[in-house]
Structure formats: C-alpha cells, structure tokens
Amino acid sequence: MTPKIYPNLLLLFLFNSVWTRTVRQVYDEVNPEHWSHYTFECPKECFCPPSFPNALYCDNKGLKEIPAIPARIWYLYLQNNFIETISEKPFVNASHLRWINLNKNKITNNGIESGVLSKLKRLLYLFLEDNELEEVPAPLPGGLEQLRLARNKISRIPEGVFSNLENLTMLDLHHNSLLDSALQSDTFQGLNNLMQLNIAKNSLKKMPLSIPANTLQLFLDNNSIEVIPENYFSTIPKVTFLRLNYNKLSDDGIPPNGFNVSSILDLQLSHNQLTKIPPINAHLEHLHLDHNKIKSVNGTQICPVSIAIAEDYGFYGNIPRLRYLRLDGNEIKPPIPLDIMICFQLLQAVVI
C-alpha cells in the first residue's frame, strides 16, 4: 500500500538526542591553562594540528599498532586502521586522555592488555565500534560517560563490568550477538545515571531485565521480542523514547495497559504483528505503527480520554498530545476517521 501524507498536516519528526555532554562542551571545558611546559613532539604516523594541540589524529593511516601518545593529548583518533592490540606501553605518558576513538580496527579481547583501560583515569569517551570483541572489555575506567561497542561480536557481558561506571550516560551495544542469557538481573547494576541504552540488532526474545531506573531512551529494534511483561515500565519511570521496531510483538504479547505510560513521548512499534492499536497515554506525542497487520482504526476506542471530553476541552484543554501518527503499510484505507481528529486535536501529521 502506498503511503499517503495528508497535505494539510505538517510532518514533524522528534529526533533522538543523547542526553549527555556534547563534544563541543567537552572541548570548551578541558582547555588546559598552560601549554608551555609541554613538548610538542608528534608521532610520525599521525597529524598534530597546531590550532588544536591537545588532539592527535592517527586515523586512516594503515596502523597496526598504537604509537606512543604524548603527555599533552586529550583527544585521540585512531579509527579506520588495522590495530589488533591495546597495550600499556603507548599510554605511559598519556595521563590526560579524555577521548579515544578506536572504531573500525581489528581489536579482540585477547588483544587488550589486562588493566590497560582502567588505568586511563580521566577517560570520558571510549569508542570501540566495528572491531572483533566477543565480550564487553573489563575493567573499564570509572569516569566513563559514553561507551560505544556497536557492531562487534559481543555475546558475553562479564559480571560486574558496569558496577563502577556511575557516570556512564550512554551505553551502545547494538548490532552484536547478545542472547537473553547474557542479560542477567544484575548486568546493568551500577549504571545509576544511564540515560540511553541501545541493544538493537541483537538476538533477544525477551525484554531485558533490570534496566537502570534513570533510562530515558531504550532502543530494542531488530530483535525477536514477543512479549511485554506486565508493569514492565514501572521500574523505568523516566523512559521517554522507546523503540521496538522489527520485533515479533502481537496483540496477545502486550498487556492491556502495557504502553499506557505517562513518561513515554515517542513510541515506535513499526514492523511487528499487531492487528490493533494498543492503548496509549494522553502524554504520547509520536506513535509509529506502520507495517503491522492493522485493518481499521477507531478513534473512539484508542482515544486516551472519552471523545466527548476531548471535544469539550478544545485546543487549550487537557487533551491528548499526539502530534504524529504513522499507520502506512497496514490494511487501513483513507480517509482518516473523524473521531481520530476530534480526539487528537494536536495532530500535525498522519501517514496512512
């Protein structure tokens, strides 16, 4: 079915944002006061920009090992090389490192020298995407704020690996080989300030256990999840963005009020097996239900308040906040039922 976008409605997308400090903020905050006592040697394999003396660019150089890192370096770029090991020797003088990008190399767990990462006491950002890791590396620096491990071969998460990462706000494990058995009830223990958890594109059949309570963004796309447990979201009362696209959710797998959660503003359930729209909360703003098996939509049934109340309140009342509704790829035919427009008076876009 070809999607139809109603021309009198504006299409608004609420893009996901990472709730953590930006690169710009880190740059602004960590400018050293005095550079004069540093020597400005530069590894011959790398580039040291004079205007950014605390950065070292060794990306896309065909490197097979990490060069010696000068003491002045805070930002280290080593992506797109052939590095297989992370040993202590190159980091002997690198006590100020805040940021390491080792994406797209050939690093294995056996290639990481024991304890080398945890000795980088000031490290805030560690990128190890697109490598050959089979488990989350441990131990890790206690001050980390972002850990990106996407597109590896990770199937194991060592016990207690996150227990000292109280400052971590983003954990990206998407596109790995995680099974339900890898996520135990204490796996994420210690992540008290985590705000984004990405476990998309793994091999999960169940919703993960014990998600940190402060999580705002939970991404579980492209798994094989069939059931949402009763009251699952009561333990993560701040979750705002929830993505469950490309799973195996059916009507029977969703409790009566499974998604009727006041904190959720963006709910994505595209490419599942739903035949009807599940009950939603009046606070929900974006709802993605495209490419399911829904045959019809009834505004009276899905409205989180009674149609009469919604009609009486008018624009300035406490009416449902839904602004974007996507229903294409189902068996629904236009036009949009009038009761949908009466209930969701703030709708700016409907794709059907």
Side-chain angles (χ1 to χ4, degrees):
M1 181 184 298
T2 303
K4 181 181 291 185
I5 304 179
Y6 282 76
N8 62 321
L9 298 173
L10 295 175
L11 181 59
L12 293 181
F13 286 100
L14 181 60
F15 290 105
N16 295 317
S17 60
V18 180
W19 296 76
T20 187
R21 291 195 298 170
T22 63
V23 176
R24 184 71 246 173
Q25 288 173 312
V26 173
Y27 175 77
D28 290 341
E29 291 173 11
V30 298
N31 282 332
E33 294 180 1
H34 302 287
W35 289 108
S36 58
H37 64 283
Y38 287 104
T39 56
F40 280 75
E41 76 280 6
C42 184
K44 62 180 180 179
E45 308 94 332
C46 308
F47 171 62
C48 300
S51 60
F52 195 7
N54 55 349
L56 181 61
Y57 291 87
C58 308
D59 51 309
N60 295 287
K61 301 295 184 182
L63 300 180
K64 293 185 177 180
E65 58 184 29
I66 299 172
I69 310 303
R72 71 178 190 277
I73 298 303
W74 297 53
Y75 305 94
L76 177 59
Y77 298 88
L78 288 160
Q79 66 270 28
N80 293 301
N81 282 294
F82 302 97
I83 297 168
E84 298 181 357
T85 61
I86 304 176
S87 61
E88 184 175 346
K89 184 178 178 181
F91 299 102
V92 169
N93 297 316
S95 58
H96 292 284
L97 277 174
R98 275 12 183 210
W99 172 300
I100 299 179
N101 189 335
L102 275 159
N103 292 345
K104 295 187 178 180
N105 278 283
K106 298 182 178 297
I107 298 166
T108 63
N109 288 94
N110 290 335
I112 301 176
E113 187 175 331
S114 178
V116 62
L117 295 175
S118 62
K119 292 178 181 178
L120 301 173
K121 302 295 185 182
R122 300 186 182 185
L123 195 66
L124 301 177
Y125 294 77
L126 178 58
F127 299 172
L128 281 165
E129 299 179 342
D130 295 284
N131 278 279
E132 298 179 13
L133 300 173
E134 295 182 352
E135 64 179 48
V136 175
L140 291 163
L144 274 185
E145 294 183 4
Q146 284 193 20
L147 178 60
R148 300 186 184 226
L149 298 168
R151 294 177 299 277
N152 276 275
K153 303 174 183 177
I154 296 173
S155 61
R156 298 185 300 276
I157 300 179
E159 184 177 357
V161 68
F162 302 127
S163 60
N164 69 324
L165 301 187
E166 187 173 348
N167 295 327
L168 199 72
T169 57
M170 176 200 234
L171 175 58
D172 191 345
L173 287 162
H174 89 271
H175 211 305
N176 277 286
S177 303
L178 292 169
L179 299 170
D180 296 318
S181 57
L183 305 181
Q184 300 298 314
S185 59
D186 60 351
T187 296
F188 301 113
Q189 185 175 345
L191 298 179
N192 299 328
N193 289 297
L194 193 72
M195 289 187 276
Q196 184 186 103
L197 177 59
N198 191 341
I199 326 178
K201 292 191 176 182
N202 277 279
S203 300
L204 304 180
K205 294 183 178 180
K206 300 178 181 179
M207 295 292 284
L209 301 171
S210 300
I211 300 297
N214 284 320
T215 302
L216 298 176
Q217 301 178 343
L218 179 58
F219 304 150
L220 291 164
D221 313 77
N222 292 90
N223 280 286
S224 299
I225 296 170
E226 299 178 356
V227 176
I228 307 295
E230 190 83 35
N231 299 318
Y232 181 83
F233 299 104
S234 63
T235 59
I236 42 175
K238 297 181 181 180
V239 64
T240 304
F241 302 89
L242 178 62
R243 294 200 328 222
L244 279 159
N245 303 319
Y246 291 95
N247 276 283
K248 297 183 178 181
L249 290 171
S250 64
D251 302 330
D252 293 338
I254 300 175
N257 285 294
F259 295 121
N260 188 359
V261 180
S262 61
S263 66
I264 298 177
L265 302 182
D266 190 298
L267 176 60
Q268 300 190 18
L269 297 169
S270 305
H271 293 271
N272 277 279
Q273 300 172 12
L274 303 175
T275 65
K276 59 185 179 182
I277 298 177
I280 59 174
N281 193 272
H283 291 90
L284 187 67
E285 296 184 3
H286 290 70
L287 178 59
H288 298 246
L289 284 164
D290 56 287
H291 298 89
N292 276 274
K293 299 179 179 180
I294 301 170
K295 295 183 179 180
S296 63
V297 54
N298 186 315
T300 303
Q301 291 178 354
I302 68 170
C303 191
V305 301
S306 74
I307 289 290
I309 292 175
E311 191 170 15
D312 290 343
Y313 272 138
F315 184 83
Y316 296 102
N318 188 25
I319 58 176
R321 301 177 186 175
L322 194 68
R323 289 170 166 80
Y324 176 76
L325 175 61
R326 184 171 178 182
L327 291 165
D328 56 298
N330 286 283
E331 300 177 31
I332 303 168
K333 296 181 180 179
I336 301 170
L338 179 60
D339 53 5
I340 291 285
M341 307 309 296
I342 293 173
C343 174
F344 302 109
Q345 298 180 28
L346 301 181
L347 263 177
Q348 295 173 316
V350 179
V351 186
I352 194 171

